[in-house]
Amino acid sequence: MRRNVAPDPFAEARRASAKAAREEVRAERVSTRRWRSTRAVLGHGPRRARAGVAWPTSTPEPHVASSVAFGALFPFLVADAGRSRAGVYIGSDVLSGAPFMFDPFTAYASGAVTSPSMFLLGNVGARKSSLMKTLAMRAALLGRRSFIIDPKGEYEQVALAMGGQVLRLEPHGQHRLCPLAVGPGVHAANIGAVRGLVELVAGDTLTSVQSGLLAAAVASVTGYDPTDGAGTVEHSATLADITAAIHTPTEAMLNAVDLSPEEWRHAGQELGFVLRRITDPSTGDLAGMIDGASTITDDPSCLMTVIDVSAVYAAREHSPLAFPLVLTAAIAWVHARILENRSPSYLMVDEAWAVLGNLSTARYLQSALKMSRQWGLATLLTMHRLSDLHIGGHGSELYDIVEGLLRDVGTTIIYRQPPGERPLLKALLALPDGQLDDVVLSPRFPAGRGLWRVGADVAVVQHVVSDWELPLLDTDQAMRS
């Protein structure tokens, strides 16, 4: 006897679902057969003869290409011959295991970079100071001179170990630096250095009339002849001499800018006030550091000169203007020494945010870096984080200058960075996402490891320190003593 069974309302849905599942399995089988056929054609799978089809009986020939092509296809996995260029030993290429050698002058001569200048970025504890110190010590073996501006007083033992000298700058201290140079081709550099200092103190850009007055005063006190195409400066002068000239212009200075004495006095009143603030011994913060003649004579045979500005750096909260002012003057002093005795040399500037974070000094530094190839100077700018700059955003003049300056350096070295730095690293240094992932993830980037971008070459390098160098690199000694 047949039982009355209530109709199943979901039966039709189950049948449709089962049909869709069968069609999915059938499609997967077809796809698998096609994949196996393709593997067979390429010589990677079983080759079974079928009617009317002639399958290959041998594997394809191996692909042969140059190391340049493989380097483009598999970045980091192919050791680039460019990384074997001559230079000092830095450490080991983490991904290839090859030794990593570097010298900015050799890299420039080979065409690997378009500028010998460098930029080093490293968070606290990343050991960027160790890299700077060993680079200076090892460069001395190649006869390269190093000028190091030291804001923390940690390079003295390195300089003494290398037979170098230490110059300490502090208010009413023993040493002074004069940023003006003597010799051929230095007049423009002198003007740029003094203008950068004046605009830094004034907090504004000089007008065209003020710029003319300053140029006339510098030319007068240094004995520069405007008709001399070589830009030769005949004799030394100081910032105090320029200040005096602004207050008491000569007839030649008045004629140079076509002003009467009264017009000069009116136009130069603010300029003279700013210069007095820099050179007046009673100002305290800057007294005796950059107002007079240099207290030391540069010795071209000295391979390491450390300018210790730690006293000014320590007082930066009390006198926020003093540190960038002294730092800029020290940079200008090194430029003057390089112009007087030209030879391949390093200028290492720690805490470079103090210069890059100001419009006037950033302009001066950008102009100087463009001349570095002619001067034979490799400038290494270092800082902890890009966020220390406080340069605003896209569209501001300072941002554009800093962005252009950082893009123009020949070599960029990036040590471990906090994750919050990712947007600035991408915007200012144009780091792609893969490189960003490396430098902002601490476990993958231990201390002493850096991403090196030497022109178009990229390498991950682990810095290696010798037993002899290690005691000279300890920046935490004071914390343990």
Side-chain angles (χ1 to χ4, degrees):
M1 182 173 65
R2 299 182 61 183
R3 300 174 58 186
N4 292 328
V5 180
D8 184 357
F10 300 103
E12 186 64 29
R14 282 197 297 271
R15 283 194 294 272
S17 178
K19 181 178 180 182
R22 287 194 298 272
E23 290 177 351
E24 184 177 349
V25 170
R26 188 178 300 112
E28 184 177 353
R29 288 173 178 171
V30 171
S31 176
T32 301
R33 284 197 296 270
R34 288 175 179 171
W35 175 78
R36 287 174 178 169
S37 299
T38 303
R39 296 262 300 173
V41 170
L42 295 176
H44 296 304
R47 294 180 290 278
R48 293 180 294 179
R50 293 187 179 182
V53 179
W55 299 109
T57 59
S58 62
T59 59
E61 292 293 326
H63 182 70
V64 178
S66 67
S67 60
V68 174
F70 274 117
L73 292 171
F74 307 104
F76 293 141
L77 299 184
V78 178
D80 183 12
R83 298 178 195 161
S84 299
R85 64 178 65 89
V88 299
Y89 175 68
I90 300 297
S92 59
D93 187 315
V94 172
L95 297 172
S96 72
F100 186 87
M101 318 290 284
F102 176 73
D103 176 63
F105 304 100
T106 304
Y108 177 75
S110 68
V113 298
T114 57
S115 169
S117 57
M118 299 169 284
F119 182 62
L120 170 59
L121 201 61
N123 202 22
V124 176
R127 298 183 184 170
K128 64 179 176 61
S129 294
S130 296
L131 176 63
M132 292 176 64
K133 293 172 183 175
T134 55
L135 184 59
M137 288 190 288
R138 296 171 190 179
L141 302 177
L142 298 180
R144 313 295 195 204
R145 302 183 69 193
S146 293
F147 296 88
I148 305 169
I149 302 179
D150 177 14
K152 299 173 185 174
E154 59 181 271
Y155 286 82
E156 179 178 1
Q157 60 179 348
V158 176
L160 297 180
M162 299 300 296
Q165 60 183 348
V166 179
L167 172 65
R168 289 187 180 84
L169 286 182
E170 55 188 354
H172 302 287
Q174 179 183 357
H175 296 296
R176 286 192 308 272
L177 292 181
C178 178
L180 302 179
V182 178
V186 302
H187 178 66
N190 285 345
I191 292 290
V194 178
R195 178 173 182 150
L197 294 171
V198 169
E199 289 183 342
L200 175 59
V201 175
D204 199 2
T205 303
L206 295 182
T207 65
S208 57
V209 174
Q210 290 173 330
S211 297
L213 266 59
L214 185 63
V218 173
S220 176
V221 300
T222 60
Y224 168 68
D225 182 0
T227 62
D228 177 15
T232 301
V233 169
E234 295 294 340
H235 49 262
S236 60
T238 67
L239 293 177
D241 295 332
I242 298 173
T243 304
I246 290 292
H247 290 294
T248 56
T250 64
E251 188 69 24
M253 293 167 59
L254 294 171
N255 293 335
V257 293
D258 195 20
L259 292 178
S260 67
E262 182 62 25
E263 290 172 331
W264 178 289
R265 186 191 66 79
H266 177 74
Q269 185 174 11
E270 184 178 357
L271 181 60
F273 175 79
V274 172
L275 282 166
R276 279 200 308 270
R277 185 178 174 187
I278 297 174
T279 59
D280 188 348
S282 64
T283 56
D285 294 342
L286 304 173
M289 289 189 285
I290 61 175
D291 53 340
S294 296
T295 56
I296 63 170
T297 302
D298 183 43
D299 180 4
S301 66
C302 179
L303 295 178
M304 188 176 296
T305 298
V306 172
I307 306 172
D308 185 340
V309 294
S310 58
V312 185
Y313 180 75
R316 65 190 183 281
E317 293 185 4
H318 173 68
S319 303
L321 188 62
F323 177 60
L325 188 63
V326 170
L327 191 63
T328 304
I331 292 172
W333 180 84
V334 174
H335 289 164
R337 305 292 76 75
I338 294 297
L339 288 170
E340 292 172 354
N341 299 291
R342 302 195 185 199
S343 62
S345 305
Y346 285 91
L347 166 59
M348 300 184 179
V349 184
D350 204 353
E351 305 294 343
W353 56 265
V355 182
L356 294 174
N358 178 274
L359 181 59
S360 300
T361 51
R363 280 199 202 111
Y364 165 65
L365 190 59
Q366 183 185 44
S367 176
L369 289 182
K370 291 182 181 297
M371 299 297 295
S372 60
R373 289 168 292 185
Q374 298 180 27
W375 295 353
L377 181 65
T379 301
L380 172 58
L381 303 174
T382 74
M383 53 190 299
H384 291 114
R385 299 172 298 273
L386 289 172
S387 57
D388 292 336
L389 289 173
H390 305 294
I391 56 175
H394 284 286
S396 72
E397 184 179 0
L398 179 57
Y399 185 97
D400 293 342
I401 288 176
V402 172
E403 181 183 33
L405 186 150
L406 295 180
R407 297 285 179 90
D408 287 343
V409 300
T411 302
T412 303
I413 311 157
I414 307 174
Y415 275 29
R416 189 171 59 203
Q417 289 289 289
E421 295 295 301
R422 190 182 186 98
L424 281 174
L425 288 168
K426 190 167 188 175
L428 289 175
L429 299 182
L431 281 188
D433 289 336
Q435 296 175 15
L436 282 170
D437 289 341
D438 282 334
V439 299
V440 301
L441 297 177
S442 298
R444 296 170 63 179
F445 246 52
R449 183 168 297 181
L451 177 73
W452 285 66
R453 299 197 304 177
V454 184
D457 296 341
V458 180
V460 178
V461 180
Q462 182 66 46
H463 182 214
V464 176
V465 178
S466 69
D467 292 338
W468 179 84
E469 295 168 323
L470 188 59
L472 301 174
L473 309 182
D474 189 358
T475 58
D476 295 326
Q477 184 178 10
M479 295 295 295
R480 294 193 298 269
S481 59

